[in-house]
Amino acid sequence: MTKAPFGPLSAALAALGTALAFLTFQLRADGYEQYVGSVANASGLMFFTSLMVVVTWFRARQPHSD
């Protein structure tokens, strides 16, 4: 069984989080305040998910003691 592509997945999620963060700033600058909270929440969720993928990647590399 092949290993899951943790690296590209975490990088893609972090890139999506970054794009959403820039969109948040652009929405705020353009006056779309009603959408800023939702997009900022989605951006934070992408960064958190990316971090959890990295943690899973680290834990999957450790030898199991079972």
Side-chain angles (χ1 to χ4, degrees), residues 10-46:
S10 64
L13 287 169
L16 180 58
T18 303
L20 288 171
F22 282 121
L23 178 61
T24 300
F25 292 125
Q26 188 65 42
L27 288 173
R28 182 166 292 170
D30 290 343
Y32 292 102
E33 289 291 328
Q34 67 267 27
Y35 302 114
V36 169
S38 297
V39 176
N41 188 22
S43 175
L45 184 63
M46 291 302 112

